[in-house]
């Protein structure tokens, strides 16, 4: 019998009440491309960069957004960090600057327009 294999994850996250502003942030600041929009005005959008897809859902619950967080594995973490710095760098989390963590990753965190925290990480230790 074939064993199941998990693939990529596509989170659905709160994007705030201004979807146009949220989409522009993901495109212009983080380098994503919008591959789908729903509603008039837009209530949901899918943005993609490489193999990462994020579903942006119109939702202005600030509490929900500030407690939403996820991690994205990256090859070339230093280059991505530099790219985001070049794009303004304001999105870098105040406590999330690029550093090596004790659990064997080099990582940094950003806050999107709604307050969602996204950590980008790259393994630096064997076996992680």
């Amino acid at each position: 019998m074939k064993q199941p294999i998990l693939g990529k994850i596509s989170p659905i996250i709160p994007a705030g009440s201004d979807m146009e502003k949220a989409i522009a942030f993901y495109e212009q600041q983080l380098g994503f491309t919008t591959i789908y929009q729903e509603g008039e005005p837009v209530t949901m959008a899918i943005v993609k960069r490489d193999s990462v897809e994020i579903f942006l859902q119109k939702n202005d619950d600030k509490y929900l957004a500030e407690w939403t967080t996820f991690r994205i594995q990256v090859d070339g973490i230093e280059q991505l960090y530099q790219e985001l710095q070049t794009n303004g760098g304001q999105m870098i989390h105040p406590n999330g600057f690029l550093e090596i963590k004790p659990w064997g990753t080099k990582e940094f965190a950003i806050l999107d327009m709604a307050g969602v925290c996204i950590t980008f990480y790259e393994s630096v230790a064997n076996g992680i």
Side-chain angles (χ1 to χ4, degrees):
M1 177 181 280
K2 184 179 178 182
Q3 290 292 334
I5 298 172
L6 301 180
K8 65 183 177 177
I9 185 171
S10 301
I12 301 171
I13 64 169
S17 59
D18 189 335
M19 288 296 291
E20 285 71 26
K21 191 179 280 188
I23 291 166
F25 172 82
Y26 276 84
E27 289 180 340
Q28 296 165 13
Q29 300 291 309
L30 301 182
F32 282 75
T33 300
T34 301
I35 60 170
Y36 178 78
Q37 292 186 25
E38 184 174 283
E40 194 56 53
V42 177
T43 57
M44 191 273 287
I46 304 170
V47 294
K48 180 179 175 86
R49 178 168 175 173
D50 304 318
S51 63
V52 174
E53 287 182 2
I54 299 172
F55 288 65
L56 303 173
Q57 186 73 47
K58 184 175 183 175
N59 182 326
D60 60 359
D61 184 335
K62 193 80 171 148
Y63 183 80
L64 176 62
E66 290 174 353
W67 282 94
T68 300
T69 185
F70 59 96
R71 298 169 58 81
I72 299 174
Q73 188 275 328
V74 176
D75 289 325
I77 190 80
E78 291 181 17
Q79 294 85 345
L80 179 62
Y81 188 71
Q82 190 61 43
E83 174 188 319
L84 298 189
Q85 292 286 350
T86 301
N87 290 346
Q90 309 93 324
M91 78 289 291
I92 304 297
H93 190 288
N95 299 320
F97 295 102
L98 184 65
E99 64 182 347
I100 296 176
K101 298 293 188 179
W103 46 88
T105 60
K106 184 179 276 191
E107 58 186 61
F108 70 93
I110 63 116
L111 293 172
D112 77 0
M113 301 285 297
V116 173
C117 180
I118 305 170
T119 299
F120 296 94
Y121 72 95
E122 184 171 36
S123 295
V124 294
N126 291 334
I128 296 180

